[in-house]
Amino acid sequence: MDKVLLAHGSGGRLSHDLIADLFLPHFPAPTLAKLDDAAVVEPLATTLMLSDSRRLAFTTDSYVVKPLFFNGGDIGRLAVCGTVNDLAMVGATPLYLSAGFVIEEGLELDVLRQVVASMRDSAREAGVEIVAGDTKVVERGGADELFISTAGLGLVPQGVDISASNARPGDLVILSGAIGDHGIAVLSEREGLAFKAELASDVAPLNGLVAAMLKASSHIHVLRDPTRGGLATSLNEIALQSQVGIRIEESNVPVHDAVRAACEMLGYDPLYVANEGKLVAIIAPDDGERILEAMRNEAHGQEAAIIGEVMAEPKGKVLLRTGIGGTRIVDMLAGEMLPRIC
Amino acid sequence: MDKVLLAHGSGGRLSHDLIADLFLPHFPAPTLAKLDDAAVVEPLATTLMLSDSRRLAFTTDSYVVKPLFFNGGDIGRLAVCGTVNDLAMVGATPLYLSAGFVIEEGLELDVLRQVVASMRDSAREAGVEIVAGDTKVVERGGADELFISTAGLGLVPQGVDISASNARPGDLVILSGAIGDHGIAVLSEREGLAFKAELASDVAPLNGLVAAMLKASSHIHVLRDPTRGGLATSLNEIALQSQVGIRIEESNVPVHDAVRAACEMLGYDPLYVANEGKLVAIIAPDDGERILEAMRNEAHGQEAAIIGEVMAEPKGKVLLRTGIGGTRIVDMLAGEMLPRIC
C-alpha cells in the first residue's frame, strides 16, 4: 500500500493506521498520542503560570463535505460545530475559533456569503468568537468548490479530566440521541434520493449539553462525538484506549425511522454512519440517572439513553447484544463507507 | 462581480475587498478587524486570569502551494514557518501548532511522509510543538494533491504591543533581507524554468529573529512578513492601518541578482513577489542601529537594511524613490500575479 486511499480519510481502521504509522512517529507530543479529539495542552498552562489550574484545549478539523448545503446544515455550520464539539469532548469551554478557506476559482460569491452567514449564526449559537481567518483561491479544478479548516481554543475547567483513556469497568455508556442522521442526510442530498426531505442532519454545537452534564456530575470519564466512522468506531477507540470491553444493547440505541429505512435500503449499518450533533458518554454508574436527567433537559439531549456498560473483558473490544438476544463483536469501520461526509 | 476570482486569493486589493465586504460584517470580533496576521486575543487573557498581563496570540493559514516541493522548501515547511511567522509578527512567542490535511486520493504515501518529516524538522527549528491534527481524503480530482491548514498559538510577552496600526511619523522602516526569493523559486520550479537551480525559497521561521529584536529594543512598533502581495502590499497595509505615509528608497531594498534577472525576464516587480522568510519592521528612529545590529547577528537577518521612513503625509500611501531620483506611488497588488505561491 503506497498511495493514499479514500479509506484513509474514513475515520476508521485505515485512518488510525495512517495516524499511528505516518504522523505519530514525527510528532511525538504526548498530547497528540492520546488521540483525543482535542489535545489538552497541559504544558501551555504551565508556561502561562495560571493563578489556578485550568488548562487550554486546542484542536483542528478540515471540512470537505459534499454537497456544501444539505437538509439541516451546510459546510459552514459543520466547520463551526465540529470544532466546538471537539473542544467540548475534552470538557473544555470553547472560546475562540479560526477559519481557513480554500476556494475554487469560479465559486459564486453568494455561496460563500451564505456559508459565512451560517458560520456566524452557529458561532453565536455556540457562544464562540471567530477571531482569525485566511483565504486561499485555487484555479478551476484544483479543488471542489470549498474546503474549510477550523481550529479552536477552549479552557478546561479545574478538576475536569475527560479522556478516551478514562473508561473503567462498571461505568455506564450514555448516548445523547438517535444515530445516523447526519451521514444519511448528506448522502441522500448528494445522491438526490427520493426520501431526502424526511432526513435532516443533526449538526449542532454540543458545548451547552456538556456544560449541563458537567454541572450535574463530576464523574464523567469519557466524552466522544461519533462523527466519521460512527458510534461503532468511537466505542472501539474508547475500548482500545482504556483497555476495557464495552457492551451495548442494540434495542437501546435510538435510530430514527427514516434513517433506519434508508440504511436498510442502502445496505448501511447506522452504527457506522456519521453524526455531527451527538455524543457518547462513559460515566460512573452512581451518577447515571442524574446525568441522564440533566441531558434530557437540554435541546440536544432529549433522546438521551443508557445504551450499555463497560466491562473488564474482552479488552479493546465492543460487543453488541442484538434485538433477538445474540451477541456479536462490533469492529471499527474498515474501508470508506461515505466519503466527504464532513 | 459575483464569482470568486483567482485574484481574491492574491493577498492584494481584491483579497482585502473580500475580507472587508464578505467576512468582517459577519465576524465583528475587534481582533479580526485589525487585520493583523495573528489575532491578539486579549479577552482570553482576561478569562484566564493570568497572574501577569501576558496575552495569547492565535492565528491560522491554509497552504495550497504548487508544486509541493521546490528549491529551498516544500508545503510542509511552508505550513509550519508561515504560521510561526504570523505569530512572531505580533511579537508572540510561538508555542503550539495544529495541522489539518486535505489529501487527494492516490497521493503517494511517500510524498506525505516527506512532507510530514519536513514539518517535524521545521517545527524543531522553530521550537514549536505540533499538538493536534486532522486528515481528510477527497476523491481523485477533488483536490490537487495536498492542502495543509495550520493554526498556531503563542504568548505575547508583557509590554509588547506590535500592530500594523502603530507606525508613527519619523519611524524607520527596516527590511530583514532580500525580497522575492520565495515567489520566484516556486514559479521557476512550477514552470520548469532554466534558472531554477540558482533560485531558492527563503522559507524559514522568523521567531528567533524577532526575539533578538525584542531583546534589543522595546520600541518595535510594527512587524509584518511580506508574503502574498509582497513588500509593496505589506507597506500599503501598514500605511493604511496607521494612517501614515511610507517612503522607501529603491536602491536600499536588497534583491538577489538571480531574482532580479528572473523578474526582468518574466516582467515581474520584486516589490510584489512573495517572501516566506523576511520581515519588515517599523521602529522608533533612535533604536535603528541597535536593532539592525541585533538582526545582522541572526541567521535570517544578515542582510537587514534600513529602507525608508514613515511620514505624516500622504496618509495611507507608499512612495518609492527610484534609483534615478524620481518618486512614484507604489500601490497594493491588484489582480493575481502568482497563484498558489503559498
Side-chain angles (χ1 to χ4, degrees):
Chain A
M1 191 178 64
D2 55 353
K3 286 181 197 294
V4 175
L5 309 175
L6 273 178
H8 279 118
S10 65
R13 178 73 61 194
L14 271 177
S15 296
H16 278 251
D17 292 351
L18 186 72
I19 292 166
D21 297 345
L22 204 146
F23 289 101
L24 287 187
H26 291 309
F27 305 133
T31 45
L32 192 64
K34 279 168 94 177
L35 293 179
D36 282 319
D37 283 338
V40 178
V41 186
E42 312 239 12
L44 188 55
T46 314
T47 315
L48 278 165
M49 292 189 294
L50 296 185
S51 50
D52 53 33
S53 64
R54 287 183 299 174
R55 294 157 294 155
L56 275 173
F58 182 34
T59 186
T60 193
D61 245 327
S62 296
Y63 299 87
V64 298
V65 68
K66 182 178 184 151
L68 299 179
F69 301 90
F70 43 84
N71 200 7
D74 58 76
I75 190 172
R77 181 165 174 80
L78 204 54
V80 169
C81 296
T83 292
V84 161
N85 292 348
D86 280 349
L87 292 172
M89 293 311 119
V90 295
T93 305
L95 295 172
Y96 298 106
L97 298 190
S98 68
F101 297 80
V102 174
I103 309 171
E104 184 186 15
E105 181 192 10
L107 184 75
E108 299 284 338
L109 278 172
D110 261 348
V111 167
L112 196 57
R113 260 184 216 108
Q114 280 181 63
V115 168
V116 169
S118 170
M119 293 180 79
R120 173 204 58 197
D121 293 343
S122 301
R124 270 189 201 149
E125 187 181 337
V128 298
E129 256 188 293
I130 298 175
V131 294
D134 180 54
T135 305
K136 292 287 182 339
V137 181
V138 299
E139 74 287 356
R140 270 169 213 272
D144 190 1
E145 296 196 305
L146 176 63
F147 304 144
I148 302 178
S149 293
T150 42
L153 262 186
L155 271 176
V156 183
Q158 205 161 358
V160 169
D161 175 26
I162 292 172
S163 161
S165 318
N166 291 352
R168 301 172 206 163
D171 283 354
L172 297 177
V173 181
I174 294 185
L175 182 65
S176 67
I179 57 170
D181 291 7
H182 175 74
I184 297 300
V186 171
L187 179 75
S188 59
E189 188 78 46
R190 184 156 73 203
E191 307 296 338
L193 301 183
F195 44 78
K196 71 178 180 187
E198 299 160 53
L199 296 158
S201 166
D202 58 348
V203 55
L206 297 174
N207 51 325
L209 177 62
V210 171
M213 294 169 71
L214 287 172
K215 205 174 156 197
S217 165
S218 55
H219 298 291
I220 295 166
H221 298 156
V222 183
L223 290 172
R224 201 93 185 179
D225 57 334
T227 56
R228 281 182 292 176
L231 179 64
T233 301
S234 289
L235 291 174
N236 268 282
E237 288 167 349
I238 297 167
L240 272 175
Q241 286 179 60
S242 295
Q243 282 298 298
V244 294
I246 294 177
R247 186 173 56 201
I248 58 174
E249 299 284 336
E250 188 174 41
S251 55
N252 292 349
V253 177
V255 182
H256 292 146
D257 289 342
V259 170
R260 194 184 299 279
C263 279
E264 277 173 12
M265 194 183 311
L266 299 163
Y268 291 133
D269 183 340
L271 286 173
Y272 292 95
V273 177
N275 313 276
E276 291 291 343
K278 298 295 166 357
L279 64 80
V280 60
I282 311 272
I283 59 152
D286 292 348
D287 284 3
E289 285 309 315
R290 195 183 319 167
I291 292 171
L292 213 51
E293 197 191 322
M295 292 176 77
R296 287 177 175 159
N297 284 329
E298 293 290 315
H300 301 305
Q302 290 176 21
E303 300 170 310
I306 294 171
I307 62 163
E309 59 183 333
V310 178
M311 305 168 302
E313 301 288 342
K315 293 195 200 312
K317 300 281 181 206
V318 177
L319 304 178
L320 178 80
R321 198 144 63 185
T322 62
I324 53 167
T327 296
R328 66 177 171 93
I329 287 181
V330 174
D331 207 348
M332 267 190 203
L333 177 63
E336 175 60 295
M337 193 169 71
L338 296 171
R340 299 187 59 182
I341 213 70
C342 62
Chain B
M1 190 178 65
D2 56 351
K3 287 180 196 294
V4 174
L5 310 174
L6 272 178
H8 279 117
S10 65
R13 177 74 61 191
L14 272 177
S15 296
H16 278 251
D17 293 350
L18 186 72
I19 292 167
D21 298 344
L22 204 146
F23 289 100
L24 288 187
H26 291 310
F27 304 133
T31 46
L32 191 65
K34 280 170 91 179
L35 293 178
D36 282 321
D37 284 338
V40 178
V41 187
E42 311 239 13
L44 188 54
T46 315
T47 314
L48 278 166
M49 292 189 295
L50 297 185
S51 50
D52 54 33
S53 64
R54 284 183 301 173
R55 293 157 295 156
L56 275 174
F58 182 35
T59 187
T60 193
D61 245 326
S62 296
Y63 299 87
V64 299
V65 68
K66 181 178 184 154
L68 298 179
F69 302 90
F70 43 84
N71 200 7
D74 59 77
I75 190 171
R77 182 164 175 79
L78 204 54
V80 169
C81 296
T83 292
V84 162
N85 292 348
D86 280 350
L87 292 173
M89 293 310 120
V90 295
T93 305
L95 296 172
Y96 298 106
L97 299 188
S98 68
F101 297 80
V102 174
I103 309 170
E104 183 186 15
E105 181 192 12
L107 184 76
E108 298 284 338
L109 278 172
D110 262 348
V111 167
L112 196 57
R113 259 183 217 110
Q114 280 181 64
V115 168
V116 168
S118 171
M119 292 181 79
R120 173 203 58 198
D121 294 344
S122 301
R124 269 189 202 149
E125 188 182 335
V128 297
E129 256 189 291
I130 298 174
V131 294
D134 179 54
T135 304
K136 291 286 178 346
V137 181
V138 299
E139 74 288 356
R140 269 171 216 272
D144 190 3
E145 296 194 305
L146 176 63
F147 304 143
I148 303 178
S149 294
T150 43
L153 260 186
L155 270 176
V156 183
Q158 206 160 358
V160 168
D161 175 26
I162 292 171
S163 161
S165 318
N166 290 352
R168 300 172 205 164
D171 282 355
L172 297 177
V173 181
I174 295 184
L175 181 66
S176 68
I179 57 170
D181 291 8
H182 175 74
I184 297 299
V186 172
L187 179 75
S188 59
E189 188 79 45
R190 183 157 75 203
E191 307 297 337
L193 301 183
F195 44 77
K196 72 179 184 188
E198 300 160 50
L199 296 158
S201 166
D202 58 349
V203 56
L206 296 174
N207 51 327
L209 177 62
V210 170
M213 294 168 70
L214 288 172
K215 204 172 157 198
S217 165
S218 55
H219 298 291
I220 295 166
H221 298 154
V222 184
L223 291 172
R224 200 93 186 180
D225 57 335
T227 55
R228 284 182 292 175
L231 180 63
T233 301
S234 289
L235 291 175
N236 268 282
E237 288 168 347
I238 296 167
L240 272 175
Q241 287 179 58
S242 296
Q243 280 299 296
V244 294
I246 295 178
R247 185 172 58 201
I248 57 172
E249 299 283 336
E250 189 174 40
S251 56
N252 292 349
V253 176
V255 182
H256 292 144
D257 290 341
V259 170
R260 194 183 298 278
C263 279
E264 277 174 12
M265 194 182 311
L266 300 164
Y268 291 134
D269 182 341
L271 286 173
Y272 293 95
V273 177
N275 311 277
E276 292 289 345
K278 296 296 164 3
L279 65 82
V280 59
I282 311 273
I283 60 152
D286 292 350
D287 284 6
E289 284 310 315
R290 197 184 316 166
I291 293 172
L292 213 51
E293 196 191 321
M295 292 176 77
R296 287 176 175 158
N297 284 330
E298 292 290 315
H300 301 305
Q302 291 176 21
E303 299 170 312
I306 294 171
I307 61 162
E309 60 183 334
V310 177
M311 303 168 304
E313 300 288 341
K315 292 195 200 311
K317 300 282 180 204
V318 177
L319 303 178
L320 178 80
R321 197 145 63 186
T322 62
I324 54 167
T327 297
R328 67 176 171 92
I329 287 181
V330 175
D331 206 350
M332 268 191 201
L333 177 63
E336 175 60 295
M337 194 168 71
L338 296 171
R340 298 187 61 181
I341 214 69
C342 63

